[in-house]
Amino acid sequence: MNPAFSFAMCLIEQFPWWKFPIFMFVQTLASFLSAGAVYILYYDAIWHYSNGTLTVSGPRETASIFATYPADYVSIANGFLDQVIGTGVLIVVIMGIMDTRNKAVPKGLEPVVVALLVLSIESSMGSNCGCPLNPARDMGPRLFTYVAGWGPEEERRVRANAREYNEKFQYASNCIKTSKYNIVTFLPVNLFEQFQEVANTYFLFLLILQLIPQISSLSWFTTIVPLVLVLTITAVKDATDDYFRHKSDNQVNNRQSQVLIGGVLRQEQWMNVRVGDIIKLENNQFVAQADLLLLSSSEPHGLCYIETAELDGETNMKVRQAIPVTAELGDTSKLARFDGEVICEPPNNKLDKFGGTLYWKENKYPLSNQNMLLRGCVLRNTEWCFGLVIFAGPDTKLMQNSGRTKFKRTSIDRLMNTLVLWIFGFLVCMGVILAIGNAIWEHEVGICFQIYLPWDEGVHSAFFSGFLSFWSYIIILNTVVPISLYVSVEVIRLGHSYFINWDKKMYCAKRQTPAEARTTTLNEELGQVEYIFSDKTGTLTQNIMVFSKCSVNGHSYGDVQDMLGHKAELGERPEPVNFSFNPLADPRFQFWDPSLLEAVKLGDLHVHEFFRLLSLCHTVMSEEKSEGELLYKAQSPDEGALVTAARNFGFVFRSRTPKTITVHELGQAITYQLLAILDFNNIRKRMSVIVRSPEGKIRLYCKGADTILLERLHPVNQDLTSITTDHLNEYAGEGLRTLVLAYKDLEESYYKDWSERLHRAGSAPEAREDHLARLYDEVEHDMMLLGATAIEDKLQQGVPETIAILTLANIKIWVLTGDKQETAVNIGYSCKMLTDDMTEVFVVTGHTVLEVREELRKAREKMMDASRSVCNGFSYQEKLPSKLTSVLEAIAGEYALVINGHSLAHALEADMEVEFLETACACKAVICCRVTPLQKAQVVELVKKYKKAVTLAIGDGANDVSMIKTAHIGVGISGQEGIQAVLASDYSFSQFKFLQRLLLVHGRWSYLRMCKFLCYFFYKNFAFTMVHFWFGFFCGFSAQTVYDQYFITLYNIVYTSLPVLAMGVFDQDVPEQRSMEYPKLYEPGQLNLLFNKREFFICIAQGIYTSVLMFFIPYGVFADATRDDGAQLADYQSFAVTVATSLVIVVSVQIGLDTGFWTAINHFFIWGSLAAYFAILFTMHSDGLFRVFPNQFRFVGNAQNTLAQPTVWLTIALTTVVCIMPVVAFRFLKLDLKPELSDTVRYTQLVRKKQKTQHRCMRRAGHVGSRRSGYAFSHQEGFGELIMSGKNMRLSSLALSSFAPRPSTSWIETLRKKKGCEGSSVGSPSGAASKTLKV
């Protein structure tokens, strides 16, 4: 059985098949060796086989240690049964441990858990026979199977061009596998997953009970038909989903890459790339296969340029360099002979660190992150390069940062499972009550009728009769736990997913990309989102930099003016500046202020020097593919935009060498000698070049952040600095990225001295960076100010409006970006997350735990001081010392929090995370900068843990994958940073603005529909089932059913399934335009108002009320009613038909009342279900079926006879009216006295329609001369203008307070405050939660 266990583990894909023969050999050998050791050590324990029985001789004490059973029980059959059961249990539990939905075992502890599992199984199996476990048989071999190859990797050894050597370490392959099943494992694994649903397991249990004739009063098909139908539909859906996963995996795995095999470059599939292979990459190609050690490239000195936007969100290019010894391996013949061995760190998630050593030709060479090309980056400005695969597949740093894929369940799913358990408890209680009733009745009454109503065979007492009756009623009343609930939910979710996929308003024509719902399980949770975590680069922005404005010598350029000299509005822009005079101009560049070009043409020296600086002070590479066709390769988009601006205004950077820069200045080629480049870094925040002009003049040009450069200017620039600072503030207020430009003339003698010192510092063995920094700082002083530039990082279309509307919907938006702080803050202002009207923007930049804690404490104190001042000095702190969030709830003003990655690392520590969350949630906007992918996931997890709110993460790069997987809902933007985010997401589209429609329309509708569906579903099932409960008191608790078994089978499958599905798929309370126009409509989902435990109890109370009337009204009528011919009407069959017909009609009328949006499909399903009921009813009671199946359809003509009686129809009508009228009355009063916001919006919509109709009538009729008509029309026009003012909700926080009564406002606000206090252990509210909800 040990090899069988290994075979099973390979089947469920826990182990690769190539390990199976090894495992089988080792296990068999271990068993024989163990048995041999036992025989040698305990010679008296001699096994003897005789007549199919194994017996044990020798001292009993010794033998019992190793025997599986005592001598009387040891046999081949028993031993084999033990093996089968033990192995089966082990496999099933291991499947549960490895299932991602039940991942309760921490990573790395699985071997320990399995070891304990084997121990427990062996002990339990042995204890059944009074014998301990047998280590020789099971412990060693089975544990070997599961633990073989396990254990943390301490170091990695990789030898180039040596697949056989590398394969012995069993490193991860590059094969992508996201599918769950294969042909062999689909059926067992899928059934195992499906029976994890409580309802499915429960109905399997019921099916087993129904096979026992003593307790079943229903045929087995009443349960097995719905159960098989549910399992089949779910299995088909799962198989379809997994088919597409297989298809996607095959598409990715079969992509081609160039791999050096046998000295020749071959096209190899991705999945066949192995650790130790040498791969060739070409320009603009994604490093998609693995993490590579750069060996050589087409650039001098083994340099190559990469873009790491998918890793850290930064779009500027970075440089990587091969170590000198491998940089010379430029051709395949040399690379084929390369057999160096790399010993490096094991796989980890540190993107910025790598440590290792290359051993080659008896020498060793240190390796660092500068030598690595990580998966996810893009090769730029490099024709080709070769790399050695170090980490592949899941071992790559990108995948190590991706986090574990989690099985996501909605809050409604979790609530449904809880409610199903409650219903099951309620079912047991009803069964106990009826069983007790049966026992009492049989003891008091039934015993008197034993002659012609004898007890069943085997029943000898009233108590045992009650026991059997309990199980009979469990079977009869099982429909309170709806078996079709889960499959109906899946069908509805599938429909909602198709609506998202088919939404033309979420289709991007430019990229030909539709919205895609990549999962069908989370749709309704889109209507409950409270926190959105967004990436910046590529998600909020287009990642396109545009030279927008500039300030030169105190004059600002870039404001567009009309003919009168006034600033033109956005829609009044004239034609852009004409650069046709410049044959080298970039035709894509646009500028709107012609005065700057005029200044260039008029020879303004300051303007010339301004653009000369832009054309010289950079690290851009120029490539001229043909005469006059220039292609700039910039390290960052900002730098490319500045050089392109200089190019169009006549200062064209043409080419460069290591020592020169050639610029065409207004058509004249001038070559400058490049003396030094003082490079940019995050501490300096500036870069400079020192050049010598053709005239021999040495000049330093510098550009950098205003906070750094303005303090390094010569004092004579004071007046100009003041004017330029005003321009900088103006540009920053518009959300533009600014740089200050300055220059300095250097004396020849000073430069020579400084250059010599620079050379010595560059060669210093120690503190080289410090020496260089001091020299850079020395020369970059007393500079002359030239001006400033302002670059627009173009936002995606509609981002500010989307953020504003989502904020009105009480959704908090946090930006988590790997970009630097200045850039993130600028974008915050651009998209209106940050505004100048904010009370304060807190910036946390501490480098130690104490610094971060102090900065957070000061921020909270400032907010609390503001709340105290608003309350006229009254301090809440004395009253609420233990609830800081209660004080923050009353803060006045709007605050924002900006925190850096190194500070966030401290803030997320266990002893400070609560303080950080309290501070962040009290702010209107939160921006986290320089964060790693793992930190993004940690922030999301923190909010999930304490706020108990639904979170959504949205991003477009691989650095967002971890965040997307962690959030309740992950959204991928199909942008310019690859498809990693889309592949990991639950929903995807191409632009951030579509998020507004996804949440406010599709999300809100999905939540509304699902809640209405669940409320009605539980109502109709309780109304249906509880009739049996009341009938039990009138049938001697005999477990007799009211309805016939075919009606019970078809009720949830045919008669009531389609109408509720139609409502769940198509219903809506307000049109999509109103959903977007009134964001406050989104709040009921956040507060979970439409379906919760309270609503559930209301639904079942209504169902129980309906069942009481459904039973007792016909029962009372039938007690004295007669037929037309005078015969007694009361018989069991007629009563069953009357109650069943009343039920179908009542629930059909009820769903008509619940439906808010009628379509042809709704009409067809509701009236069609009624028609189907009567058609099936008359068919089953027909002569034809009776003749074919006389034992199954015995009630011949009963339906026709019963429904021909006027008394029956009057009874049905009375039952329907009495059941429905209270519901109608309650809803009418609620609409009149306490309307919800959706009711108010619908009312305003009706008023608008009526107003438009009257407008048309007035235009047709002209003046009618009636004062009354004139007054009525004038009155409605004014009312309409007041309603129309609600459009401002799109841009302000005003809602329809004019139309919504105050009680509704206070009701929702009370719930929100209650949720804020009890929703989490932290309970920290957002800024918006403390404000009065305006509806």
Side-chain angles (χ1 to χ4, degrees), residues 165-182:
Y165 173 81
N166 296 321
E167 283 179 356
K168 72 179 184 180
F169 297 105
Q170 300 178 16
Y171 294 137
S173 72
N174 211 41
C175 182
I176 300 296
K177 182 179 181 298
T178 61
S179 57
K180 296 167 61 178
Y181 317 108
N182 58 36

Side-chain angles (χ1 to χ4, degrees), residues 920-942:
C921 289
C923 296
K924 181 183 178 183
V926 178
I927 299 177
C928 302
C929 320
R930 288 291 185 191
V931 294
T932 65
L934 212 53
Q935 283 179 323
K936 292 184 178 184
Q938 288 172 341
V939 172
V940 176
E941 189 63 46
L942 180 65

